[in-house]
Amino acid sequence: MVTLGDYLVVSGLLFTIGFAGVMLRRNIIIIFMSLELMLNAANLSLVAFSRARLGPNGLPDYNAQVFVFFIITVAAAEVAVGLAIIVALYRARQTTHVEDISTLKF
Amino acid sequence: MSYLQLLRLASPETVVVVTTLVVLAIGLRNRQSPGLNILVAVLGLAGACAAVFMLPRSAVLFAGMLVISPLTSLFKVICLLLAFFTLLMARNLSSRNHAEYVGMILLATIGLMLLVGSEELLMIFIGLELLGLSLYVLAAFEKHDIRAVEAGLKYFLFGSTASAFTLFGISILYGMSGTTALAAIAQKLAGMPIEPLLAAGVVMTLIGFAFKIAAAPFHLWAPDAYQAAPVTSAAFIASGSKVASFVVLGKIVLIGLAPLHGSAGWHAMAGGWMPLLAVLAALSIVIGNFVALVQTNVRRLLAYSAVAHAGYTLLGLVAGGREGFSATLFYTTIYALTLLGAFGVVGAVRREMGNDDIRDFCGLSRRAPLLAGCMAIFMLSLAGLPPLAGFFGKFYLFSAALRAGGNHGLLWLVALALFGSLISLYYYLIVLKVIFVDAKQETAAVAAPQLDLLQRATLLALAGAIVLFGIMPQTLVSRILAALA
């Protein structure tokens, strides 16, 4: 039987992997993918909580599931804006590595 | 609730949305002058302001998704005003795509209004993202300027990571309480022991807001964004986004997480969000002020001083209660007006000199006495000298913090903040010294900054507001206090 705790562990793991990717990877596209992973970790935990909390009529709490749809939409918008910025940067610098992007310092 | 009723209660936001669409449509045909776009946008903002005044005194829709109260109305007007001043300064934008630029500012304004007018985590998240995504675009708008794009990318990466943290925190808060409305969360959390999962949820939610208000150690994006983004974008990022974030942060901790406050008193530390915010405040004050000392670029200096100011402003939230929250709101409003003005001056100098290092301000008092005078008012208000508004803002904050926390428990934080303001006086005065005293490298070839009447009036109005709120702080404070009652 898969319990709420199991879902939360997976969700926490996804979030940690995503955050580690953002911190450690050097390619902006990979960093970007890791960011999406973090958002999806939140989606998973929201849906898990929603399923675990059955209301008096035996139905799950749909508020959280609606929340997830909003997050998916927002994530898509974020991809659009992020990729636009990355393309602008690539045109100017011909690189997608964070080490090469260091005109601004301390 | 009929759809028409909903539209009526959300009329300020609706007016701004319609204005955005109109501006974008005009921009399709009109590529030459930004004047018309800005005129339409300003009219739209005025209309939204009028719509705010027509709203009923208080209403709550959909369990707090849209809240109308004196507080939200007041801060919607303030957000609209900040957008108004930003638009007036945006007239000299060089880019061809000025309609998109104006549209983005309007979209960000809608984000601000949603943030201010909501007490529900879903709407707060959507407001945050709408605001954030618009501001990332605004920061990277000059897409051929490598520095601006780099600043935009850094802002975007830090911002998205922070909002992912907030989102995960929200999901945990929802899981622990079973609801996303702030008031209901507070009811559910009352009497609940602080489990590790709940603590993780609170910390992660607050991280996202610490990023938005640029509190150390989540401030790393701020110096780059303030320095390299287009001046008007930087001004809006520094002012509007900060005001709305403080309003929402205050609502989340004082309404939603009220049962988990803990204590930040020196002898009575107890787990909760208060010690967390106190640590953020202390770090911000120390890091912001000390790093600002060595900056040579005015915008970067303002960015680090913004980190320090975020620290001072957090003091009010740590103090908690109506008095603390009102001190925070007053200070953040004053700060936003001051910073808009300072960025206006920086923008004018930048147009003339091509850069905004401190040495570019050399001899400004002879070239443009009006600009220099305004800059003096803004800098001295930031430093907190009486009789300017910044002084009273700090005074309210520090006295609220001293009185709260029982037995002067917050004295350590107040002492640190006073020490920080003392340091900050040094770097603000350096800027003023360069403006008023230094003249060594002045060249006759440099013409006085060209400012049209409107921009002159904008700067004067902002400087006037700072002086006015300094002499008569009651005009704004009493409004905020009444709204919080």
Side-chain angles (χ1 to χ4, degrees), chain A residues 45 53 61 78 93 103 105, chain B residues 129 146 150 171 174-175:
Chain A
S45 76
R53 278 182 185 278
D61 179 7
E78 207 168 82
R93 291 299 290 266
T103 23
K105 277 206 180 119
Chain B
E129 286 296 310
I146 173 75
E150 183 181 328
S171 79
Y174 162 77

Side-chain angles (χ1 to χ4, degrees), chain B residues 106-247:
Chain B
L106 290 176
L107 277 179
T109 312
I110 299 166
L112 296 179
M113 292 163 75
L114 288 180
L115 267 182
V116 166
S118 166
E119 292 179 3
E120 209 260 2
L121 290 175
L122 172 57
M123 281 303 280
I124 288 176
F125 175 71
I126 290 174
L128 268 183
E129 286 296 310
L130 181 56
L131 174 64
L133 291 178
S134 319
L135 290 183
Y136 307 147
V137 177
L138 284 177
F141 201 82
E142 306 269 2
K143 63 182 179 196
H144 301 296
D145 177 1
I146 173 75
R147 284 153 47 94
V149 177
E150 183 181 328
L153 181 76
K154 283 181 181 167
Y155 188 27
F156 171 76
L157 286 180
F158 277 109
S160 309
T161 315
S163 63
F165 267 93
T166 303
L167 190 61
F168 202 71
I170 287 177
S171 79
I172 295 176
L173 282 185
Y174 162 77
M176 302 309 280
S177 63
T179 168
T180 48
L182 290 182
I185 288 178
Q187 277 176 3
K188 289 280 164 73
L189 292 185
M192 200 183 268
I194 303 187
E195 301 167 37
L197 192 59
L198 182 57
V202 172
V203 171
M204 289 173 107
T205 309
L206 293 186
I207 283 178
F209 287 97
F211 160 83
K212 276 276 169 213
I213 60 174
F218 306 102
H219 65 284
L220 295 168
W221 59 275
D224 293 344
Y226 282 31
Q227 183 188 357
V231 179
T232 22
S233 310
F236 201 52
I237 291 170
S239 59
S241 152
K242 217 161 186 178
V243 170
S245 303
F246 265 111
V247 175

